[in-house]
Amino acid sequence: MENPHMQTWRSVLAVATLGAVLAGCGSNDAPADETAAASGPWSFTSGNGDVVKADKTPSRIIAHAGEAAALISFGIKPVGIYADEPVKTDLNLKDLDLTGITILGEEWGKIDVEKAASLAPDLIVGDWWPAEKAYSGLEEGVDEKSKKLAELAPIVGVSQGESIVDLAEGYEALATSLGAKVDDPQIAANKKRFETAVTAFKAATAAKPNLTAAGMSPTDEKVYVANPKYAPELLDFQRWGLKVLDPAAPDKDFPYWETLSWENADKYQPDLILWDGRAYKDTLNAEFGKKQPTWFEIKAAKAGAVTAWPAYWLHTYGDFATELEKLTTAINGADENIGN
Amino acid sequence: MRTSATNRASGLVLLVALLAVVAFLSVTQGSRSIDLTDVLRALGNLGDDGTITSTVTLELRVPRTLVGILAGAALGVAGAILQGVTRNPLADAGIMGINSGAAACVVFAITVLGIQGVSYYVWFAFGGAIIATFLVYTIASMGREGATPVKLALAGAAVTAGLTSVTSAIVMTNIDALNELRFWQVGSLAGRYTPILVGVAPFILLGLVASLGLGRVLNGLALGEDTARGLGQRVGLTRAAAFGVVAILAGAATAACGPIVFIGLVVPHLARFICGPDYRWILPYSMLLAPIVLLLADVLGRIAGAPGELQVGVVLAVLCAPVFVGIVRYARLVEA
């Protein structure tokens, strides 16, 4: 029997792993510096702590969607990409020039490993998910055949761990190790914009020391409350002064969330709802209030104190800066006396 | 005759009482624990006074319970009618293509029209179920001898296979549709509030009333078509009427809750076991037994899954699968 919690989260994850890294990748999809890449030996410490080594620097890379976009932003062009949805709609990939890159999958859990093998890859790149102890594309629940991807080449990825900063730095380090030049002025500009955004975010939370928030994702059947422990961006928010509440009883089999029935929708009363950004639309709060009798039992929902939360998809400074700017605006406008 | 008419009638009264008890449980028990006095106060005031206990009781649990009663009764009766009219002890709404028709239409709504949400699926599911049943019946009716049980089963299987492959083809290329459908396909009473109740209630009530008139003709059909014809029945007309009622009942129930399996299959056998082979009794027994089983499974799912919930489709599959195995074995014994 499939676990419905997981499946819901999967649908969300499908969008999540898009890892939009669009900032600054419009014009610099030049191929990696082959001369630098040809040297070796090469090694990289992956998200699970393993040190992956090779005699020469890998140059034929297969990467998961968002991670591929991150590498492309540093000028490393993969030979193959596996995505969780059609690359035409994938938020990371839809605006990128993918000519010359083989698409190996456009649905979560399904990778064409035979086609992948024909590309003779020497490296696979996907995020490491500590809660599941698996790389993107190889998690529990994917097609067993897809998992054979891991047999084609060593696999590395940065951990979805403590902070988005680690992810951004990690992919920059990976790109550097693969021979990329990371001195594009756009990269530096994004870093600067990110630092400014963090300062503004900290100032906003300091001005409202009692403001509480909760990451939430309501669906027709259930309400999901995010567990910051496994959401690096929520940990960042906590670190920078926003009191994102920790659910008391995260689901045992899938600890990213605590699942609440609609009868218990009011279990948590934050001042501000951080709505899963992968599903967020401005009209959704009113819609849920209308169709779910208990949604407005959450005082923040009733007061319209909701904002999008960039859930599980950030990989770069540029995207994080943009999202932080939006959140800062929401925090500045928030009322710290709505919830309990 | 296993039991006298008086006994059977008192059995029905007993089942009504049992249904009332289960309905009471369904309103008072849930993943949120609410004091009995608060529940009773909310029921007594019969208006949402703004407290969460009153909202949960009146806007979540009461409509959910009523949807459960109606959908359960509809599925039980539809299963009994189908088993009678097709003389197939393993028939339920699924073999008529109802679930696959509803699923195909729901997928159409998601992918082509971009609609998402349980409350919007109702009419698509209903329409799909009706269309599929009509298709099955029309295909089975071709040829001189009309819609015989064997041809109905074959047509049902063919239409189901065809629709399922179309549905699969679409959802395989559209992960959003796949996820939406996966949820809908388990079958659940969660999120079924007043608008859905009001939407399907007239159809189900109409179907239930109509079904009670079918008992005598089903008894005739159970003797075989030639005998029924010899008894002066118009077999073709009876069958068409029975299918019309099944389409409305099972279509509306599936529209409201998604495809709920096993109820339509198992409950008529339970009814037959209790009251014997007379469809004039099997139909009302199924009508009462099915909602009892469905609500009980739903309450169990709510308690076992707290603070979340288990979908009733999952609970039913766990509860009814062994019963189903029992039926298969029992049927084999009878054959031997």
Side-chain angles (χ1 to χ4, degrees):
Chain A
M1 190 60 58
E2 280 175 333
N3 179 344
H5 304 196
M6 184 174 295
Q7 292 316 325
T8 300
W9 195 80
R10 287 304 180 197
S11 64
V12 188
L13 177 69
V15 191
T17 34
L18 304 181
V21 198
L22 301 178
C25 28
S27 57
N28 55 3
D29 51 358
D33 188 338
E34 289 291 339
T35 40
S39 58
W42 174 87
S43 85
F44 185 77
T45 307
S46 192
N48 60 355
D50 288 353
V51 178
V52 178
K53 289 182 179 149
D55 294 337
K56 69 182 189 64
T57 306
S59 60
R60 299 187 63 79
I61 298 159
I62 289 177
H64 183 244
E67 298 83 317
L71 291 177
I72 291 172
S73 79
F74 295 114
I76 301 282
K77 193 167 183 173
V79 293
I81 287 180
Y82 58 102
D84 299 329
E85 65 170 303
V87 295
K88 283 203 176 79
T89 56
D90 184 305
L91 284 174
N92 292 290
L93 304 173
K94 62 178 183 167
D95 294 329
L96 297 183
D97 176 12
L98 300 179
T99 40
I101 301 178
T102 308
I103 307 304
L104 301 169
E106 296 189 282
E107 184 187 337
W108 187 88
K110 290 197 192 310
I111 302 168
D112 188 340
V113 176
E114 222 168 292
K115 209 193 257 183
S118 74
L119 295 174
D122 50 14
L123 188 67
I124 316 278
V125 176
D127 286 340
W128 172 255
W129 296 87
E132 295 167 273
K133 297 194 169 50
Y135 287 101
S136 289
L138 307 176
E139 302 100 324
E140 178 97 29
V142 303
D143 271 6
E144 277 307 308
K145 277 189 286 183
S146 296
K147 290 190 176 177
K148 294 201 179 297
L149 180 75
E151 295 168 15
L152 300 181
I155 180 160
V156 297
V158 182
S159 177
Q160 285 275 355
E162 300 285 310
S163 169
I164 295 296
V165 174
D166 294 343
L167 270 173
E169 300 271 323
Y171 281 106
E172 187 172 326
L174 178 61
T176 311
S177 82
L178 293 170
K181 293 208 172 66
V182 291
D183 53 2
D184 189 307
Q186 185 66 49
I187 296 170
N190 279 338
K191 221 175 266 189
K192 185 108 179 74
R193 197 158 64 86
F194 164 76
E195 278 155 19
T196 314
V198 172
T199 311
F201 185 92
K202 281 182 180 166
T205 55
K208 295 201 170 133
N210 297 320
L211 186 76
T212 56
M216 298 185 85
S217 183
T219 68
D220 273 342
E221 308 252 340
K222 285 157 185 180
V223 183
Y224 296 85
V225 181
N227 181 6
K229 191 177 172 197
Y230 294 110
E233 66 283 346
L234 293 182
L235 288 175
D236 282 331
F237 301 160
Q238 286 182 336
R239 210 168 282 130
W240 300 329
L242 182 62
K243 293 188 175 61
V244 183
L245 60 84
D246 295 293
D251 300 346
K252 286 196 178 60
D253 52 347
F254 210 62
Y256 296 92
W257 306 94
E258 173 173 346
T259 308
L260 302 176
S261 68
W262 276 107
E263 293 197 0
N264 290 309
D266 67 331
K267 181 171 177 184
Y268 301 107
Q269 292 286 357
D271 298 310
L272 177 65
I273 292 171
L274 305 176
W275 194 302
D276 189 328
R278 296 161 301 175
Y280 183 78
K281 275 188 289 214
D282 285 336
T283 51
L284 274 181
N285 188 50
E287 266 175 45
F288 270 89
K290 203 169 148 212
K291 70 179 176 183
Q292 290 294 348
T294 52
W295 177 243
F296 279 173
E297 295 291 338
I298 307 169
K299 294 170 195 165
K302 189 163 192 186
V306 298
T307 190
W309 141 51
Y312 309 99
W313 61 265
L314 295 169
H315 283 78
T316 62
Y317 285 120
D319 288 323
F320 203 7
T322 309
E323 293 297 325
L324 279 173
E325 284 158 9
K326 288 189 222 160
L327 279 164
T328 304
T329 311
I331 291 168
N332 283 333
D335 178 350
E336 49 187 333
N337 298 311
I338 292 178
N340 294 341
Chain B
M1 286 292 146
R2 208 175 293 186
T3 45
S4 73
T6 329
N7 281 350
R8 287 179 190 147
S10 31
L12 282 183
V13 174
L14 193 71
L15 286 183
V16 170
L18 206 56
L19 180 57
V21 171
V22 178
F24 180 75
L25 278 178
S26 169
V27 174
T28 52
Q29 301 299 312
S31 54
R32 181 188 194 93
S33 79
I34 302 179
D35 280 348
L36 191 57
T37 49
D38 287 336
V39 174
L40 294 178
R41 200 183 56 224
L43 290 174
N45 292 341
L46 274 181
D48 192 342
D49 60 10
T51 60
I52 175 102
T53 48
S54 143
T55 306
V56 168
T57 307
L58 296 178
E59 293 189 44
L60 263 56
R61 290 187 187 170
V62 168
R64 176 182 190 151
T65 304
L66 292 176
V67 168
I69 292 174
L70 286 177
L75 291 170
V77 168
I81 294 175
L82 272 177
Q83 289 177 11
V85 84
T86 62
R87 294 203 308 280
N88 176 353
L90 298 182
D92 76 345
I95 72 152
M96 288 306 302
I98 282 181
N99 296 341
S100 55
C105 250
V106 167
V107 164
F108 172 80
I110 298 169
T111 51
V112 179
L113 306 177
I115 290 167
Q116 288 200 349
V118 186
S119 48
Y120 306 114
Y121 297 155
V122 171
W123 301 113
F124 290 97
F126 198 9
I130 301 279
I131 292 168
T133 317
F134 182 75
L135 206 60
V136 169
Y137 192 76
T138 311
I139 294 172
S141 300
M142 289 179 196
R144 204 165 44 83
E145 65 282 13
T148 61
V150 173
K151 280 165 73 186
L152 277 169
L154 289 174
V159 168
T160 300
L163 287 171
T164 308
S165 61
V166 170
T167 306
S168 304
I170 296 173
V171 296
M172 282 306 143
T173 56
N174 185 325
I175 191 147
D176 283 342
L178 178 64
N179 282 303
E180 282 284 316
L181 188 73
R182 260 201 292 231
F183 244 113
W184 182 81
Q185 258 184 340
V186 179
S188 172
L189 292 177
R192 272 62 178 184
Y193 308 127
T194 313
I196 290 183
L197 174 67
V198 172
V200 297
F203 295 98
I204 293 182
L205 290 173
L206 189 80
L208 290 178
V209 171
S211 74
L212 291 177
L214 289 171
R216 204 179 53 81
V217 290
L218 286 177
N219 281 342
L221 278 182
L223 299 172
E225 273 158 48
D226 293 338
T227 317
R229 227 170 253 123
L231 290 170
Q233 272 192 26
R234 288 192 284 175
V235 172
L237 193 69
T238 306
R239 226 165 12 207
F243 269 78
V245 173
V246 167
I248 289 173
L249 284 176
T254 306
C257 315
I260 289 184
V261 289
F262 283 121
I263 284 268
L265 188 62
V266 171
V267 164
H269 287 278
L270 277 179
R272 209 170 281 122
F273 184 74
I274 298 171
C275 67
D278 186 342
Y279 275 93
R280 285 172 302 178
W281 290 103
I282 290 177
L283 291 174
Y285 266 83
S286 299
M287 196 183 292
L288 290 168
L289 275 169
I292 292 174
V293 175
L294 184 64
L295 280 186
L296 213 53
D298 188 44
V299 172
L300 273 179
R302 282 188 251 168
I303 296 171
E309 284 176 359
L310 281 176
Q311 288 161 304
V312 70
V314 176
V315 180
L316 273 177
V318 172
L319 288 183
C320 288
V323 179
F324 182 61
V325 172
I327 288 171
V328 173
R329 286 193 52 82
Y330 176 74
R332 190 180 284 165
L333 286 178
V334 172
E335 276 167 26

